[in-house]
Amino acid sequence: MRQTKKAYEGLYNKYIKRGLDIIITGIVLVILWPLYFILAVAIFLEDGFPVFYRAPRGGYKNQTFKICKFRTMVKNADKIGGGTTALHDPRITKIGEVLRKTKLDEIPQLGQVFLGKMSLIGPRPELVKYTEAYEGEEKDILCVRPGITDFSSVEFINLDEIVGGENADEMYEKYVLKKKNKLRIKYAHEVSLGTDVYILFKTLKAVFDKAFGFLVKKEHR
C-alpha cells in the first residue's frame, strides 16, 4: 500500500520556503538595521555587553545551532535559574521586559533565517535536552527548520503567565511541553504557503495585542 507523502517532504518545504525566507529577510534586515543599533545601545547602557543572548537549540535535521536574541536577562542568567522564564522573573532587566512584551527580543533571529539556521515560520526551537528526547511523530518536528513563530507561539504567547512564578521548568514540562510538541507536529504535517501566511497574520495580531496591552493598557505586568 502506497504511503501518503507528508507535507514536510514536499517541494514547498524543501525549496520554495527557503527562497522566500532569503528574499523577505534580506529586505527586512536592510530596513531594520537602525532599530538593531538603537536596541543594542539601550541594552548596553543598562547592563553592558553582551547585547545578544546565544544558546544551543535543537535544529533542522537534528543539528544543534545557537539561537540569537537580544539579551533580556542579567548576565549568566542560565547559571542563576532554570531554562524557562517564570512570571516576574527577577533575572529580567528593565529594557528586557519591554523587549519581551513587544517581542522585539526575537528580531535578531531574522539574520539566522537569512543564513538558513531558521525559517520565518516553523516550530519554535527547543532546548537540546528536550529535542533529544523526541519520540515517534515528535521526530517529524526536526524535518522542518525551526522558526520565529508557529502555532504554539500564538497559543502560548503569554508563557510566563502560564507557568507562573515558581518551579517554572517543572510547570513547563508538566503542562506545556507536550501541548507545544503536538502543535509543532501539526505544523510539520501541514507546512505550506497557506499555513505560513495564516500563522504570520495570527502572530502579527497576537504580538500587536500583547504589545498594545503592555504599553497602553498596562497589562501583562
Side-chain angles (χ1 to χ4, degrees):
M1 184 176 179
R2 186 178 180 181
Q3 290 185 332
T4 303
K5 192 174 184 180
K6 295 183 178 179
Y8 61 75
E9 298 173 316
L11 186 66
Y12 176 75
N13 183 56
K14 288 185 175 181
Y15 304 105
I16 299 174
K17 184 174 170 67
R18 177 72 188 121
L20 291 174
D21 281 341
I22 293 172
I23 294 170
I24 295 171
T25 55
I27 295 171
V28 173
L29 285 169
V30 171
I31 296 171
L32 289 185
W33 75 263
L35 179 59
Y36 276 64
F37 178 75
I38 292 170
L39 296 179
V41 170
I43 294 167
F44 169 75
L45 290 176
E46 180 180 2
D47 199 42
F49 288 118
V51 298
F52 295 110
Y53 167 73
R54 305 291 305 277
R57 294 291 187 270
Y60 183 47
K61 296 183 178 178
N62 208 22
Q63 296 296 310
T64 301
F65 75 103
K66 284 194 174 182
I67 197 170
C68 181
K69 300 182 181 183
F70 278 122
R71 183 167 63 85
T72 60
M73 291 187 172
V74 297
K75 299 170 187 177
N76 300 315
D78 55 335
K79 297 178 181 178
I80 301 172
T84 304
T85 305
L87 183 64
H88 305 310
D89 198 311
R91 297 175 295 171
I92 299 175
T93 61
K94 292 180 180 178
I95 184 65
E97 183 179 15
V98 176
L99 294 179
R100 280 175 171 269
K101 298 300 185 181
T102 58
K103 293 298 181 182
L104 287 173
D105 63 316
E106 306 278 0
I107 62 174
Q109 293 168 56
L110 292 169
Q112 294 185 294
V113 174
F114 185 79
L115 295 173
K117 298 295 184 181
M118 295 179 63
S119 181
L120 285 170
I121 314 296
R124 284 298 298 158
E126 189 59 272
L127 295 174
V128 176
K129 69 175 183 178
Y130 294 138
T131 60
E132 288 180 342
Y134 282 171
E135 298 177 338
E137 285 190 322
E138 290 178 335
K139 294 180 180 179
D140 291 351
I141 298 168
L142 303 175
C143 293
V144 292
R145 282 185 174 82
I148 296 177
T149 185
D150 68 341
F151 291 118
S152 69
S153 300
V154 176
E155 180 162 337
F156 294 100
I157 193 167
N158 297 314
L159 181 60
D160 58 342
E161 297 175 22
I162 295 172
V163 299
E166 298 181 5
N167 303 317
D169 283 345
E170 180 182 339
M171 296 295 289
Y172 179 77
E173 292 173 5
K174 187 174 181 179
Y175 297 108
V176 178
L177 182 59
K178 288 297 181 181
K179 292 180 180 178
K180 289 187 76 171
N181 282 347
K182 286 181 180 179
L183 291 172
R184 289 171 172 140
I185 294 168
K186 173 182 170 68
Y187 178 80
H189 290 179
E190 298 180 6
V191 56
S192 69
L193 179 59
T195 298
D196 284 359
V197 171
Y198 171 78
I199 292 174
L200 175 61
F201 281 101
K202 290 281 286 185
T203 299
L204 291 175
K205 181 182 183 304
V207 170
F208 175 81
D209 288 345
K210 181 168 183 175
F212 184 80
F214 176 74
L215 297 172
V216 179
K217 295 183 176 181
K218 311 300 182 183
E219 299 172 341
H220 308 292
R221 295 184 179 229

